[in-house]
């Protein structure tokens, strides 16, 4: 799998970030707009015949009408006047994203039987966003969501994100591990034009089970999840794995 290897660096933040190449953040969109123009020639001393013939010829060759570029006739309007947005394509698929999240559960949380059920086609490209529900049996034990978004706030305005972690980018943390009911850690970050959130459930309806018993999320695992979140979101923003 394309993600094998980089998770091994999570225990050593300095090694991980020294080896990672600076992500390339492409320009997503630019406008191309060309306006057709009609130019009329002539002077006050020209005869009517000498003015009309060249002008008609110019209008015919340039595709302009006597009404100019603002004509409402669709048959005479130049297609060059249409604004054409150009988007940077992405080669990352929903399947690659969700498989990477499952691998994090296996290698970092010691949960080998986690599965992903992407809400989108696995082969669909990550051009605007995606979701990865993570389950153990029928229980939801985590959730990833990411999207290309103009909003600079990856937390969606939620007050529960009370602290931050610096992991190459600022990662906001909502920690409810010690609360009654659902116990989880939710992380949020923004890289380039992408916002992402990653939630890990320690206990929801039932306790999440590892190979050694119920999951107890440690601070080290939260730091690893923060670096994982930044790494994957950087790949989404670059448009390639």
């Amino acid at each position: 799998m394309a993600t094998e290897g980089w998770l091994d660096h999570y225990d050593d933040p300095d090694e991980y970030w020294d080896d990672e190449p600076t992500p390339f953040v492409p320009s997503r969109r630019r406008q191309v707009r060309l306006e057709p123009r009609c130019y009329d020639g002539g002077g006050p001393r020209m005869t009517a015949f000498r003015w009309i013939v060249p002008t008609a010829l110019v209008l015919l060759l340039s595709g302009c009408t006597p009404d100019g570029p603002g004509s409402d006739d669709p048959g005479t309007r130049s297609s060059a006047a249409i604004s054409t947005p150009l988007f940077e394509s992405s080669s990352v698929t929903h399947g690659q994203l969700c498989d990477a999240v499952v691998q994090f559960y296996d290698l970092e949380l010691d949960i080998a039987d986690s599965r992903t059920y992407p809400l989108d086609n696995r082969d669909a490209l990550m051009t605007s966003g995606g979701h990865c529900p993570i389950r153990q049996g029928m229980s939801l034990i985590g959730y990833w969501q990411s999207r290309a978004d103009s909003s600079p706030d990856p937390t969606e305005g939620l007050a529960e994100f009370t602290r931050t972690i610096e992991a190459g980018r600022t990662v906001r943390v909502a920690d409810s591990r010690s609360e009654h009911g659902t116990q989880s850690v939710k992380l949020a970050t923004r890289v380039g034009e992408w916002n992402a959130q990653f939630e890990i459930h320690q206990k929801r309806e039932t306790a999440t089970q590892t190979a050694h018993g119920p999951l107890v999320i440690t601070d080290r695992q939260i730091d690893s999840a923060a670096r994982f979140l930044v790494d994957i979101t950087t790949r989404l923003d670059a448009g390639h794995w």
Side-chain angles (χ1 to χ4, degrees), residues 47-194:
T47 64
F49 178 79
R50 294 178 58 191
W51 183 88
I52 292 174
V53 173
T55 301
L57 182 60
V58 169
L59 292 174
L60 180 62
L61 294 178
S62 64
C64 296
T65 69
D67 294 330
S71 173
D72 292 331
D73 183 1
T76 59
R77 187 179 304 138
S78 172
S79 61
I82 300 175
S83 179
T84 306
L86 300 178
F87 295 94
E88 186 72 21
S89 61
S90 173
S91 62
V92 181
T93 68
H94 286 86
Q96 285 177 309
L97 169 65
C98 294
D99 288 347
V101 178
V102 169
Q103 185 182 25
F104 178 87
Y105 269 76
D106 183 9
L107 298 181
E108 289 295 319
L109 303 180
D110 203 17
I111 303 174
D113 61 344
S114 62
R115 297 291 182 268
T116 181
Y117 301 89
L119 301 180
D120 303 282
N121 185 339
R122 283 182 56 87
D123 296 327
L125 296 178
M126 291 286 298
T127 54
S128 60
H131 306 263
C132 298
I134 307 299
R135 297 183 181 276
Q136 185 175 52
M138 297 301 295
S139 300
L140 184 68
I141 61 174
Y143 199 86
W144 172 289
Q145 63 176 349
S146 52
R147 65 190 182 280
D149 195 340
S150 60
S151 171
D153 182 12
T155 70
E156 301 176 326
L158 297 178
E160 61 192 82
F161 291 89
T162 57
R163 68 184 180 94
T164 61
I165 296 174
E166 291 301 324
R169 303 277 183 164
T170 298
V171 176
R172 302 185 182 278
V173 182
D175 189 345
S176 62
R177 287 176 292 175
S178 60
E179 295 182 4
H180 296 290
T182 298
Q183 300 172 352
S184 64
V185 173
K186 183 186 293 184
L187 309 172
T189 196
R190 178 173 179 83
V191 178
E193 298 179 3
W194 282 77

